[in-house]
Amino acid sequence: MNQIASKPVPTTATTEVFPTYHAEDLTRGGAQARILLNGQIYSLRITRAGKLILTK
């Protein structure tokens, strides 16, 4: 599986800083990406309405 070369987007959170990514970068301009966690593959999808859906 290819590694994603997306860089975090700087945020202005005051208490904690979390990595922030553009969904379009994760999907490489498409509508879907796969995310691997602990050997499980998840699907991240951008809907036509611009919402995100994460499924196993």
Side-chain angles (χ1 to χ4, degrees):
M1 179 166 272
N2 294 340
Q3 292 183 347
I4 298 171
S6 181
K7 294 182 181 178
V9 176
T11 61
T12 57
T14 56
T15 56
E16 294 185 58
V17 177
F18 298 101
T20 303
Y21 302 92
H22 288 281
E24 295 86 356
D25 290 342
L26 295 175
T27 61
R28 294 187 180 165
Q32 194 165 1
R34 291 188 181 136
I35 300 171
L36 183 64
L37 176 67
N38 296 328
Q40 300 288 318
I41 296 178
Y42 294 82
S43 177
L44 177 70
R45 185 168 61 93
I46 303 173
T47 68
R48 284 185 232 142
K51 307 292 182 180
L52 291 176
I53 298 174
L54 182 66
T55 56
K56 188 170 181 184

